[in-house]
Amino acid sequence: MESMHQNPDVFAEPLKYYPERFMNNLKTMDAAAKGRMCPGIYIAEVELFTSFIQVLSKCKTGPYLNPSMMTAF
């Protein structure tokens, strides 16, 4: 990753941080990976999905209740 992001043939000043370099990159992860396929992309996507599911499974949803009627969980 370091050699790819600090390539002077691609970036004029590779050691300086310029967030503007990446601001116009609107590709999806899959489209960005085409050509330079990371072998771990599928594992990373599954792990992200699993993490979100674990967090969201702890959330409780239901109708709005009057705050005075709510009990501590």
Side-chain angles (χ1 to χ4, degrees):
M1 288 303 262
E2 181 179 344
S3 63
M4 183 171 62
H5 287 288
Q6 294 182 356
N7 185 347
D9 296 333
V10 178
F11 302 114
E13 296 179 76
L15 298 179
K16 291 194 176 182
Y17 177 67
Y18 292 112
E20 299 83 22
R21 289 179 183 160
F22 310 103
M23 298 295 275
N24 293 327
N25 186 1
L26 301 175
K27 295 179 184 177
T28 62
M29 249 201 299
D30 183 53
K34 301 278 193 249
R36 291 186 285 197
M37 188 58 142
C38 172
I41 192 168
Y42 299 111
I43 294 172
E45 288 179 347
V46 169
E47 288 295 322
L48 281 171
F49 178 77
T50 304
S51 298
F52 282 124
I53 293 301
Q54 288 177 350
V55 169
L56 293 175
S57 70
K58 304 296 181 193
C59 298
K60 295 183 180 187
T61 59
Y64 174 77
L65 298 175
N66 186 342
S68 63
M69 297 174 59
M70 293 186 70
T71 59
F73 292 101

